[in-house]
Amino acid sequence: MASEEFSGNYMEKARTSKGVSDFFPGRMTEFRRPAEGVFEFLTDNGVLLRVSLVGEGVVRFRFTPDGRFEDDFSYAVDPEHQPGTPEHEVVEFGDGVAIKTGSLSIRVNRGGLKTTVTDTKTGIILSQDEQGYHWQENKQYGGEIVKMSKVCRNGEHYYGLGDKSCDLNLRGRRFQMWGSDTYAYTPDTDPLYKNIPFYISLCKGAAHGIFFDNTFRTSFDLGAERPEVTSFFSQGGEMDYYFIHGPEPLDVIRRYTRLTGLVSMPALWTLGYHQCKWSYYPEAVVRGIADGFRSRRIPCDALYLDIDYMDGYRCFTWDAERFPNPKKMVAELEEDGFKTVAIIDPGLKIDPNYPIWQEAYDKGYFCRRQDGSLFKGSVWPGLCHFPDFTNPEVRDWWAGLFHGLIAETGVRGIWNDMNEPAVFEEGTFPRDVRHDYDGHPCSHRKAHNVYGMQMVRATQEGLRRNSNGRRTFSITRSAYAGTQRFACAWTGDNVASWEHLSIANLQCQRLASCGMSFIGSDVGGFIETPTAELYLRWIQLAVFHPFFRTHSSGDHGDQEPWSFDKKTTGLVRDAIELRYQLLPTVYTTFRQYVRDGTPMLRSLPFVDFNNPDAYWRSAEFFFGDHLYVVPIMAEGEEGRFLYLPKGDWFAYHDDSHPKAVAKDIWIECPLDRIPVFVRSGAIIPHWPVQQYVGEIEHPEPELRIWTKLGSETSEWYEDEGDGQAWRDGGFRESKINLQGDKGSLSLHREWHGHWEPGYETVHLTFCGIDSDAPDLKVLIDHHEQRAVRGDDGRYRVNTHRNFYSVNLEWTPVKAPKRKAGEKKSQPEK
């Protein structure tokens, strides 16, 4: 009889008995400085840590367990990022080494290479290793499972991680990065479509960020398993992360966005309203949708073609029966103000009679399995092969395929879908699929999270080559950190529900905080059919999302703005018209994103960061510098409590002036509007309503100016709205300083750039002035003019486009005197 000790599978028994061990760095034996701002620490068991100063407030930590690093390659970090090395000094002491810059002290302990990062100005510890760097041998795939654990401080809260559908505050939760096609996801679904391994820590007003640049399947534990510990770990690759200092949360986001790539100015039409459905076909239906907008006077700038425009879902083809003359259709739509956007997926149908598939097959551009066979999977065309977009030669070939759609047919934007990558059989590619990875061959375990990013990178290049100098427009569902350089995005296959309206609000805020401000959701929900009220409230929210598009599944009913009752159609029209009035403000806010990396959507905790009461708030958000948006996200809600930060605010719609003391206040929320508040002293540029961008050749802007006791600064950016002249100073970027006192207001304007507007007149509207005078005298550039009071209580005056100073004086309304013994009246509850 066999001994029980040797029964069964001996290797399995040995593996189980030995368990899985974590390995840790030993004691530091060598400290060296191979380059300016670069420091290396070697231990007695061969672990090497490289600390690099990659800009003021940004420190890179890179570990390897065997004393040498692989090639330094990243898809995320912008190759044009040239921050310079900050001034620093090095101090060696008994237990370690400290590297000090003007803002940070980075201390590396000799025993185990544990690190501590301290704010040199406040002395506060910002980040401290718990176990620090450690690893496991990956017996199944080779390489290491790399880990990092840090102390989770009392009062520390976490935000970010890109595409997550839960509450903004991530404290006490665990997440993964593995791009997935998640149809009808919920608040608890994880992972989702996009992979942005970057989080923001906020603790008692001080902020920093961690960006873990690792494309393998990655996990983050933000105090879930152990409340006093936060950790991040990956199934392969290196422990390679960036510490990004604030001290304010928006500073962290700006530095992260500059590290992973600033974006370009978009064409103005891309910020208008867009209409999409799976699918608008044949051509008569597309033209009917266009007529529906223009006949009802509902503004719209873009119509979308989903997969049914293709011949059997073959990319870069047209169905000749449904669209017999696409070039003519696209040109005539553009004459009526509509840009055409077409979908392109990664899977190419296996068909020897399909020239694009045949060319890719002949050139060896498709992904292969580990044994050398071509990988094939099913998507909409049936069985497909998939290009390896991590191969630069494949990307160059793919970019060339867009000549027909863009240069010849006139399509103006490309929408990349299914690029997680998604396949019907197992959800995505098998792990053994091989990729070039720009000359660093690897398996799909490493390339999965960047596949969609590299696809849209190639798409963007194809648009650039074929757009004749126009600004390009590309959209992606999947992304990795840095994808903002190549595309805008939407939040995937959501549901027509009030819960998903709330999720859309959270997702767009979170993605904006992770470098992807050009973001939106499928307005109204992709799956199922919204009620009239839900659709209206979603439209009202999306007015303040940079990417503004209704998209729905064709098998769930119509979802155009006129698909509901007449009253709803009118209210939806009003909301979309508001977006077109606010386009100069949206464009100016986008300019700040392009120039500085400042997010367009700014979550309340990132602005009111010194108030811990704001750390768990997630519904309200800031759009740009001066607008505070409070979405309505419950059925039948015509009033609600909202959190108004301490300060001086006006209601955008009627100039009412609530007292803000950083607590909840009650407001009315009728169906015809959502609450929007304006910071006192703000100057908000507007345009007249247009049916599409460019309908009015040179729209005369209106500057709405809210009074203030004190000073405030506002920005206003203008350019041609398309083309590349903005890169060489072809813009006008104004900074307007406002100074207000009781009964007086003065503006001083400066600008730079050499663009000259085509309009002559600017309309000035003064809001919130406490005067009963029917008209006021105004000095504009030292010339007296008269401002006329409208029925809405606002004062208006016209001036020249090149005005530089405004002075306004009035006699304030005197509060009525109370009789002796009379008590001050109290507002009704």
Side-chain angles (χ1 to χ4, degrees):
M1 184 175 181
S3 168
E4 186 175 329
E5 180 182 356
F6 295 99
S7 63
N9 186 311
Y10 170 74
M11 292 301 295
E12 287 299 323
K13 282 181 171 291
R15 184 180 294 116
T16 302
S17 64
K18 291 180 181 178
V20 178
S21 299
D22 281 344
F23 298 93
F24 293 83
R27 186 160 186 82
M28 186 193 307
T29 58
E30 186 178 351
F31 167 56
R32 56 199 186 210
R33 304 172 67 170
E36 181 68 13
V38 180
F39 312 90
E40 292 186 343
F41 307 86
L42 186 66
T43 68
D44 54 13
N45 62 343
V47 176
L48 179 61
L49 163 63
R50 179 179 293 165
V51 177
S52 305
L53 305 179
V54 292
E56 185 59 52
V58 182
V59 185
R60 182 183 183 187
F61 296 87
R62 191 179 179 197
F63 292 87
T64 178
D66 55 13
R68 61 182 180 85
F69 292 108
E70 300 293 334
D71 287 350
D72 189 5
F73 177 78
S74 171
Y75 281 125
V77 175
D78 185 357
E80 297 184 6
H81 181 255
Q82 302 289 338
T85 303
E87 292 186 5
H88 59 276
E89 62 174 326
V90 177
V91 179
E92 295 192 52
F93 50 93
D95 199 32
V97 177
I99 306 158
K100 296 184 178 181
T101 72
S103 58
L104 296 174
S105 174
I106 305 102
R107 177 169 172 163
V108 182
N109 194 282
R110 294 187 187 276
L113 300 183
K114 290 185 180 181
T115 65
T116 302
V117 182
T118 303
D119 187 317
T120 56
K121 295 179 181 178
T122 64
I124 295 174
I125 293 176
L126 302 172
S127 174
Q128 185 175 15
D129 286 357
E130 186 246 1
Q131 293 189 67
Y133 168 65
H134 50 295
W135 73 96
Q136 290 178 7
E137 298 292 340
N138 194 325
K139 300 296 185 181
Q140 182 176 4
Y141 294 107
E144 293 82 36
I145 299 170
V146 294
K147 307 178 182 182
M148 171 61 66
S149 63
K150 293 182 175 292
V151 174
C152 181
R153 297 166 291 164
N154 183 35
E156 189 166 16
H157 300 265
Y158 302 101
Y159 306 87
L161 294 185
D163 199 5
K164 303 300 174 190
S165 52
C166 61
D167 287 340
L168 286 184
N169 196 323
L170 305 178
R171 176 73 186 257
R173 304 187 67 129
R174 186 168 179 164
F175 303 93
Q176 293 189 54
M177 299 290 156
W178 185 255
S180 302
D181 181 2
T182 47
Y183 184 84
Y185 53 93
T186 73
D188 298 317
T189 302
D190 185 65
L192 296 180
Y193 303 94
K194 300 168 187 66
N195 316 284
I196 306 183
F198 164 67
Y199 69 80
I200 301 155
S201 161
L202 179 56
C203 184
K204 300 175 183 177
H208 73 269
I210 297 290
F211 168 44
F212 182 24
D213 191 7
N214 185 307
T215 64
F216 284 82
R217 190 174 195 128
T218 299
S219 298
F220 289 81
D221 186 312
L222 303 174
E225 183 176 342
R226 291 184 289 162
E228 71 280 4
V229 175
T230 183
S231 60
F232 44 96
F233 43 98
S234 186
Q235 297 300 314
E238 287 185 357
M239 176 51 60
D240 182 2
Y241 74 93
Y242 294 79
F243 174 93
I244 304 172
H245 188 220
E248 297 181 5
L250 292 181
D251 296 326
V252 176
I253 298 168
R254 291 184 189 103
R255 284 175 168 153
Y256 164 79
T257 307
R258 287 195 292 266
L259 176 69
T260 55
L262 296 174
V263 303
S264 297
M265 285 303 296
L268 252 170
W269 67 265
T270 68
L271 301 177
Y273 175 74
H274 298 195
Q275 185 69 37
C276 182
K277 183 179 183 177
W278 179 27
S279 287
Y280 289 135
Y281 72 90
E283 178 180 321
V285 170
V286 178
R287 291 181 181 273
I289 296 296
D291 291 342
F293 278 99
R294 297 295 180 250
S295 64
R296 294 174 176 88
R297 302 294 293 170
I298 299 174
C300 181
D301 263 282
L303 299 178
Y304 284 61
L305 301 177
D306 210 319
I307 55 176
D308 295 288
Y309 79 90
M310 303 176 193
D311 176 13
Y313 306 132
R314 294 168 179 82
C315 294
F316 304 101
T317 67
W318 291 86
D319 185 304
E321 292 186 7
R322 293 172 175 173
F323 296 93
N325 192 340
K327 182 175 181 179
K328 181 174 184 289
M329 179 193 73
V330 169
E332 290 176 355
L333 286 172
E334 183 135 8
E335 287 177 6
D336 203 16
F338 293 99
K339 309 298 188 292
T340 302
V341 181
I343 197 170
I344 292 288
D345 290 350
L348 298 181
K349 183 176 178 62
I350 300 173
D351 177 3
N353 296 316
Y354 174 27
I356 292 173
W357 174 87
Q358 188 65 56
E359 182 182 10
Y361 178 85
D362 292 343
K363 293 182 176 181
Y365 287 165
F366 290 125
C367 294
R368 293 183 177 273
R369 303 292 295 268
Q370 187 174 12
D371 63 3
S373 61
L374 289 175
F375 166 67
K376 58 185 178 181
S378 297
V379 282
W380 305 115
L383 278 176
C384 291
H385 290 143
F386 296 81
D388 180 9
F389 294 108
T390 72
N391 184 333
E393 186 177 340
V394 175
R395 291 197 300 269
D396 181 70
W397 167 77
W398 182 263
L401 298 177
F402 286 94
H403 181 79
L405 278 174
I406 308 302
E408 294 180 0
T409 307
V411 169
R412 293 292 297 274
I414 296 295
W415 162 29
N416 283 164
D417 194 10
M418 300 290 286
N419 56 345
E420 287 72 35
V423 295
F424 293 158
E425 288 85 356
E426 299 296 332
T428 191
F429 294 1
R431 289 179 175 84
D432 74 320
V433 167
R434 309 301 297 173
H435 296 272
D436 179 79
Y437 213 86
D438 277 70
H440 306 82
C442 67
S443 73
H444 195 67
R445 294 175 60 242
K446 184 175 183 179
H448 174 87
N449 281 342
V450 298
Y451 185 87
M453 175 194 197
Q454 296 309 300
M455 178 189 182
V456 79
R457 176 184 180 182
T459 296
Q460 172 74 351
E461 174 61 19
L463 285 161
R464 187 195 65 78
R465 290 183 195 175
N466 292 287
S467 294
N468 195 28
R470 293 192 299 252
R471 301 177 196 174
T472 57
F473 180 61
S474 51
I475 316 167
T476 184
R477 190 170 74 176
S478 180
Y480 182 66
T483 301
Q484 69 269 9
R485 305 197 301 269
F486 311 120
C488 76
W490 87 106
T491 58
D493 294 342
N494 58 5
V495 181
S497 69
W498 291 95
E499 179 180 58
H500 264 269
L501 174 59
S502 177
I503 290 173
N505 181 23
L506 298 169
Q507 281 182 291
C508 289
Q509 288 185 57
R510 196 189 315 278
L511 284 159
S513 73
C514 294
M516 296 194 72
S517 275
F518 202 172
I519 187 68
S521 65
D522 283 347
V523 171
F526 178 71
I527 304 158
E528 301 178 1
T529 304
T531 64
E533 183 186 0
L534 174 59
Y535 183 72
L536 171 61
R537 291 304 197 189
W538 210 316
I539 282 278
Q540 290 171 339
L541 167 65
V543 165
F544 298 96
H545 285 167
F547 180 43
F548 187 14
R549 180 185 74 160
T550 291
H551 179 40
S552 62
S553 175
D555 56 353
H556 293 291
D558 294 334
Q559 206 157 294
E560 291 75 46
W562 56 86
S563 299
F564 305 94
D565 56 90
K566 185 176 181 180
K567 178 182 177 182
T568 301
T569 299
L571 294 176
V572 168
R573 180 191 296 110
D574 292 344
I576 295 175
E577 286 181 346
L578 175 61
R579 170 59 168 244
Y580 279 76
Q581 288 179 289
L582 286 170
L583 273 178
T585 294
V586 178
Y587 204 49
T588 296
T589 305
F590 211 112
R591 169 61 175 175
Q592 294 175 323
Y593 173 48
V594 169
R595 186 189 65 209
D596 304 322
T598 306
M600 298 178 70
L601 308 180
R602 303 168 195 176
S603 301
L604 179 60
F606 300 159
V607 179
D608 201 15
F609 54 87
N610 282 315
N611 184 3
D613 289 342
Y615 289 4
W616 289 97
R617 304 277 179 167
S618 56
E620 305 92 337
F621 63 91
F622 290 83
F623 185 91
D625 292 335
H626 300 311
L627 294 178
Y628 183 63
V629 182
V630 186
I632 304 303
M633 293 180 291
E635 187 174 11
E637 188 172 55
E638 293 193 4
R640 61 161 289 180
F641 282 101
L642 66 88
Y643 179 89
L644 197 59
K646 190 174 182 179
D648 197 16
W649 299 91
F650 289 94
Y652 171 82
H653 295 284
D654 60 14
D655 298 342
S656 57
H657 199 188
K659 185 178 181 182
V661 289
K663 67 177 184 181
D664 287 312
I665 64 171
W666 176 263
I667 57 164
E668 301 296 328
C669 310
L671 268 178
D672 63 348
R673 66 183 62 168
I674 63 171
V676 179
F677 294 87
V678 184
R679 196 186 304 276
S680 66
I683 300 170
I684 308 294
H686 289 68
W687 266 351
V689 173
Q690 302 176 76
Q691 294 307 297
Y692 57 92
V693 169
E695 182 191 30
I696 302 173
E697 187 174 5
H698 301 294
E700 294 180 349
E702 174 196 8
L703 299 183
R704 296 188 188 174
I705 302 152
W706 276 265
T707 186
K708 181 184 181 74
L709 295 177
S711 61
E712 192 64 60
T713 300
S714 300
E715 295 187 20
W716 176 25
Y717 177 84
E718 306 169 274
D719 66 21
E720 285 292 344
D722 207 339
Q724 304 304 319
W726 70 277
R727 298 181 183 276
D728 300 314
F731 56 78
R732 175 176 285 194
E733 193 163 24
S734 299
K735 181 170 287 189
I736 309 176
N737 295 310
L738 177 146
Q739 186 68 45
D741 205 342
K742 194 173 180 68
S744 68
L745 193 68
S746 64
L747 307 179
H748 178 71
R749 176 189 181 200
E750 297 178 346
W751 66 82
H752 66 282
H754 56 70
W755 179 73
E756 281 292 325
Y759 58 83
E760 293 293 333
T761 301
V762 176
H763 305 274
L764 303 181
T765 300
F766 298 96
C767 311
I769 291 178
D770 57 339
S771 175
D772 290 332
D775 50 32
L776 301 177
K777 291 183 179 179
V778 184
L779 287 178
I780 299 180
D781 298 340
H782 310 295
H783 296 285
E784 187 174 306
Q785 296 193 38
R786 189 175 299 276
V788 178
R789 187 172 188 249
D791 293 338
D792 57 2
R794 294 172 171 177
Y795 293 85
R796 293 174 172 84
V797 65
N798 296 337
T799 185
H800 190 265
R801 67 186 185 188
N802 293 329
F803 81 92
Y804 59 85
S805 71
V806 178
N807 291 279
L808 177 67
E809 292 186 357
W810 66 92
T811 302
V813 174
K814 293 182 179 180
K817 292 183 179 181
R818 294 197 303 272
K819 297 179 181 178
E822 182 181 3
K823 293 183 178 180
K824 184 178 180 181
S825 62
Q826 298 294 322
E828 294 183 5
K829 294 183 179 179

